[in-house]
């Protein structure tokens, strides 16, 4: 009800403010006897952590996590898994000047409107720091997906005007981690990095695109009519900070296609079936059809810029918001593991939901 | 769990197959003493019903509904509202030839995969006929929104290559119902209609875009961190048959914008505040900020075409699917009330959820 | 949220007022390919229907139901099952005099308090007529339990001071339907019937007990820590009109027992294990252990009596409530199928929930 | 779904095993600006903690808690409140001998059946230690109830054969904390304490009763038809370790009452209304009517006794379970704050749910 949980069978509830003592997550519904390695969870967190390269914020958050319950001798027990990530590098002073100022395109004002009170330090609950808890939960989800041989891979495919044009079904995700931008094409990655550094020098920020592909997902996942697989993926991805758009399969490009072009014809594939094309993006009628699932998502430019911006305080009095703190010039490189985490959570949730029919 | 409900406080559960005795909906959580006029519900259903013009399917479904509970002497009582829509014009014979054939880009195969059994007549549960139940629920939601002075308006803004370029914040929705396409610009509507008729003559189908704007929505709606207002809108819209994409505010266009361009500056507005621009689309940090909310959604071309298509049967044997039945060449004109219904359901749900904090 | 649904995987939502056009139920989450016979559903409804004998109300409600969705050629399809029960014998005039009077120990006043409006005809939504929808859903649940060989049997074991002392684990439920009281001991049944007829002649009503036993329930059902199997059974049973108490296993008698007496020792049973005694009532730590599950539940005397009662109207003015209408002198004979229905719904729900771990 | 959450608007999710690093709770849905004092939460935990007197277990668990999120400068912010209670006095060795033995009437076997794996140290997740997290959440609930002037008080009213016969509506709860048994009658408390010490000396355990009264609860709480106020109270109470029965209002005593005796007549009360008697226990049709709410609950004798018990191991081989560890001879004195916590959580949840109608 209050919005801090997602998933039905695999239920993820996060808590924590950016400048409180800790953030973390409870995962309720992890099946028993899944191998959960702390190192793997830690590694996923490191892919998201600030300060990992020259194109991300220089804030240092080590994001060392502990598993406090639900795992016994390296395996899940079926009871709730709680993962705690203490906050360490909290320079609250950076934010003290913001108690009454309203940072443009941040959630300062809307939290104030909604709750009448807010922890204004670093965005409090609305800070993207909350996504570390999602990544921890996503790491547990990935441990389950591993048992099924399902892979969830995301990568940066656009930064501002720099576009990687490779078809998503052809992307080689093994190269994603080889550069700081997390673009699986080295030449494009270099251009993106240069572009981000240029934007950073301007004290400005820029948007981007993350593409994601799920391979080896079995058919039958998704619950019509409302909890269609792509609808739940869409919600999960749209719930990530700074996301403005979601499309799957043909997406917006379907608008100008004719049915005779867009329809994916069924053909024989060994003993089974597959479709000749995959404009459906692996999902038909809200249910996976065994083909690769893929989607794209747009991130807006980070709202905190290193330029003075005119704003007002809560009483409407004119004020100037100056960009202090340490922020990302472009959010997509660090958002890749977050997209993977949310997609993994949704797929695991639907894998478990689908067991009810077996 | 099984996916046929949406909403938490205002909970909508639909049932029914396209060729069963009836479809319908239970709405649980409608506040008491809301005026519910059967005529208004009926009128909304008529906006969606087949056979309404020469650019829609010629199937006749009168979609006469009855309210069987929850309304007493014209007012809601706080108990579940059940609306029944009997099926009448069921030409099941049109579908008898489809028991074993797999219609390309339909849900035939995925339902078969998931459940191992399916009501194959007219798509059964996966038929877009189910959306009539959504429109009925949306009509009840609109009765509640009326009390708050909130309006939810959708319109067709693109059909194939024909684009209405007017900014969504400038659209005059009062003109939407004046043409069969439901495009609020008469000149563009004429072009769209001609285009659709041409596509129809080819026995083909075409995609399109519906844009939606919500005016007068109070600030404070939306539940971070997962049930952000736009995330719930996105899920609701993506759950509509044939939708492939959702974007709100700046959407995909945010990718190439800089933070200094994209940020919406707060300015004084009488005794209150508003933003100078509205790239946020009325939602910041997942919570409405009092500005107009707007989003765009892409519909794929209808999968049933009047051309022969190569497919296979369930055993993999080659077969030809011929387009029989009576279908729409373009789904967007009839989908306008569905988009409005789903958006209205989400806004009412969040209006009620937000009351908990008061 | 608004309280008209129960169950998570097997989700039952009822609607309808006693004097509206119909009542009914949507069952979302019934697994596919379950055989659902309309005759069986109808038969369960007949066990609950009014007018079935001289010790029940003489109201005639035929309770003829239709299945409007989710069943195709006699089998469930995995989509929502909707069962409609039209209201026929609605003598609303019996209730016209009650618009402003507050019937003692009815829900008239509390509905008025809560919603500020109510359908006062025959109790509206608070009428026990709503339980017919539960019985219909319970019949579907029993069709699923049949596949697993699980039986759910309830019977009347006390009416006022007349007690059937047989241990619940020894009850022969095959005799329950052989008398109008639904007491599985003929001699006791005769006494109970006489007692009820005497009470009826006094224009009064009396309470009673229903006992229920679930045989052949597999171990592992129940979700600690909150959704313990007995906690969900307790809630489901307590939600039935007129129920005041629930105990399982040793129940209240555990208070005066010592641990050394109460503990159920594990012993070998063929290749498996069982317990020597069964004070646990088949549930330990909230999870079924494979032994028979049993519970008892107390029903209060029906609130409508054929005597004048002093009350007040909504403004506090003194008034007299006279017992009109046709009511039961004792509710338990007709409540037996309701208790079975609610217990069956809970067991099916937990059977499905438990599949997630497999 | 996996059972570790309760409540809809005020949603409580607990985690943790008795011998893991910590237990704790996330509370999602606490309204903003509620004063939450750590000292008060700590004090409630101390009422439940082991080792508090000579009639409880001698285990020392200090149960020092920290609030890690959701509270800023002493007030709730509307975001999730996380309370952590580290485990300290974990003598796991006491349990090492139990890996394969099945303790009678414990959850050892059922957890093994359900999950196929278990943290066997001290009962793991099934340990009553989990209830500390409930008490912490209940303390937050009490902070909210304070704003409404609602009080929730429980007390021990029976220990084995020693019964406090005072009517629950007459109990003076201010005396509950004045003795170690938590019985609000000093003379009876002395007898109970003597009885418990005697049982303890025998190496045995005994059951008991806790009664609870909720004063000043407004009318209108409870959501028919399934989430009736007493049904949700019943579930919450039945979910507490060792509870076997729940009755509210007249409870089991209603069985032998006639309608003419049991009906609570409405009378004028100042400008409002009240009932002359209160057999309804403050709830009619599942909705509170403004009168005091009261219920009774039965606890079984603690399963761990200091005597040898015959059992089997998981393979069915005979073994002897010896009572080691430090355990309570009677659970009810320490369960009083747990009953209050669960009742408070339910009342707050329904207070918030009821706001939707306003």
């Amino acid at each position: 009800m209050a919005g801090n949980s997602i998933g039905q069978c695999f239920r993820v509830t996060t808590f924590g403010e950016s400048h409180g003592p800790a953030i973390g997550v409870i995962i309720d519904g992890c099946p028993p006897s899944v191998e959960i390695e702390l190192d793997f969870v830690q590694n996923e967190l490191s892919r998201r952590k600030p300060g990992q390269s020259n194109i991300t914020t220089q804030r240092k958050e080590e994001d060392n996590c502990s598993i406090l319950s639900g795992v016994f001798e390296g395996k899940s027990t079926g009871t709730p898994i709680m993962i705690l990530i203490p906050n360490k590098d909290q320079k609250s002073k950076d934010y003290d000047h913001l108690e009454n100022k309203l940072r443009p395109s941040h959630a300062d004002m809307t939290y104030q409107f909604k709750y009448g009170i807010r922890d204004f330090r670093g965005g409090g609950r609305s800070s993207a720091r909350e996504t570390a808890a999602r990544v921890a939960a996503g790491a547990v989800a990935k441990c389950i997906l591993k048992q099924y041989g399902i892979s969830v891979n995301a990568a940066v495919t656009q930064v501002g005007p720099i576009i990687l044009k490779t078809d998503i079904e052809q992307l080689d995700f093994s190269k994603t981690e080889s550069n700081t931008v997390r673009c699986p094409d080295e030449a494009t990655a270099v251009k993106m990095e240069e572009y981000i550094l240029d934007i950073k020098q301007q004290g400005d920020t820029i948007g981007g695109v993350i593409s994601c592909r799920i391979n080896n997902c079995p058919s039958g996942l998704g619950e019509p009519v409302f909890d269609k697989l792509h609808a739940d993926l869409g919600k999960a991805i749209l719930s990530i900070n700074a996301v403005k758009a979601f499309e799957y399969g043909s997406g917006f490009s379907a608008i100008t296609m004719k049915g005779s072009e867009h329809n994916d014809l069924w053909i024989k594939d060994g003993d089974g079936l597959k479709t000749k094309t995959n404009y459906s993006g692996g999902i038909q009628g809200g249910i996976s059809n065994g083909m690769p699932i893929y989607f794209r998502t747009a991130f807006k430019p980070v709202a905190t810029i290193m330029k003075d911006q005119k704003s007002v305080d809560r009483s409407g009095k004119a004020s100037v918001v100056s960009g202090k703190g340490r922020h990302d010039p472009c959010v997509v490189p660090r958002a890749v593991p977050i997209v993977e985490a949310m997609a993994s959570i949704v797929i695991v949730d639907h894998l478990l939901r689908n067991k009810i029919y077996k």
Side-chain angles (χ1 to χ4, degrees), chain A residues 7-305:
Chain A
Q8 304 226 348
C9 284
F10 187 78
R11 190 149 181 88
V12 170
T13 304
T14 72
F15 67 89
E17 278 79 39
S18 64
H19 286 62
I23 62 166
V25 64
I26 294 179
I27 301 151
D28 197 18
C30 181
S33 295
V34 176
E35 288 187 31
I36 315 273
E37 286 181 40
L38 184 60
D39 281 357
F40 176 68
V41 181
Q42 195 61 63
N43 188 56
E44 287 291 287
L45 286 171
S46 296
R47 295 174 68 207
R48 194 214 71 99
K49 79 173 176 187
Q52 61 183 264
S53 77
N54 63 337
I55 58 166
T56 66
T57 169
Q58 295 307 302
R59 278 198 317 278
K60 293 271 182 254
E61 291 161 8
E62 272 312 310
D63 289 351
N64 288 319
C65 71
S66 312
I67 300 177
L68 298 192
S69 69
V71 178
F72 183 55
E73 298 177 346
K75 287 187 179 170
S76 64
T77 60
T79 63
I81 298 174
M82 197 282 187
I83 305 178
L84 191 75
I85 309 169
N87 291 330
K88 282 181 182 161
D89 184 41
Q90 309 148 20
K91 294 202 182 173
S92 293
K93 282 179 196 161
D94 284 354
Y95 302 97
D96 276 358
H97 63 295
L98 290 171
E99 178 169 3
N100 287 308
K101 285 185 187 171
L102 302 174
R103 294 174 299 166
S105 289
H106 272 277
D108 299 346
M109 194 60 191
T110 52
Y111 271 66
Q112 191 69 42
F113 279 143
K114 185 173 190 73
Y115 303 110
I117 183 176
R118 71 190 163 102
D119 178 350
F120 53 82
R121 299 166 304 166
R125 181 71 181 149
S126 72
S127 164
R129 176 145 185 73
E130 181 268 340
T131 57
R134 299 178 182 217
V135 170
V140 173
K142 283 187 175 182
C143 293
I144 299 169
L145 292 179
K146 205 179 160 187
Q147 297 185 320
Y148 290 84
I150 303 170
S151 63
V152 174
N153 287 106
V156 172
T157 51
Q158 186 169 353
V159 167
I162 319 291
I163 305 176
L164 173 62
K165 289 193 174 151
T166 316
D167 190 281
I168 180 133
E169 302 213 66
Q170 309 305 327
L171 282 183
D172 177 4
F173 288 102
S174 70
K175 296 182 183 160
T176 308
E177 295 298 311
S178 65
N179 58 72
T180 56
V181 188
R182 293 201 169 85
C183 171
D185 179 84
E186 203 51 47
T188 313
V190 170
K191 287 184 208 158
M192 288 174 171
E193 187 178 330
E194 284 167 2
Y195 186 85
I196 294 172
L197 288 172
D198 183 43
I199 285 286
K200 185 182 174 185
Q201 205 156 14
Q202 296 171 33
D204 219 327
T205 58
I206 191 70
V209 171
I210 292 179
S211 299
C212 182
R213 195 176 75 215
I214 301 161
N215 275 356
N216 210 21
C217 182
S219 64
L221 305 198
E223 302 289 324
V225 295
F226 294 110
D227 297 353
K228 287 175 170 142
L229 188 57
H230 60 269
D232 275 355
L233 281 168
K235 171 171 172 167
I237 298 302
L238 286 159
S239 78
I240 299 171
N241 303 41
V243 168
K244 301 295 288 184
F246 171 88
E247 60 178 5
Y248 82 104
S250 53
F252 273 105
S253 73
I255 303 166
T256 53
M257 292 175 78
K258 293 182 186 174
S260 56
E261 297 168 309
H262 190 274
N263 282 354
D264 294 319
L265 303 182
W266 284 102
I267 54 174
K268 221 176 159 174
D269 179 39
D271 286 343
L273 300 174
K274 66 175 187 180
T275 61
K276 205 171 162 182
T277 49
N278 187 13
Y279 293 113
S280 298
I283 303 172
Q284 293 177 325
I287 303 173
S288 62
N289 67 358
M291 298 292 291
I293 294 168
Y294 59 92
F295 63 82
R296 287 173 80 242
T297 181
F299 286 76
K300 68 168 187 173
V302 174
T304 302
I305 57 178

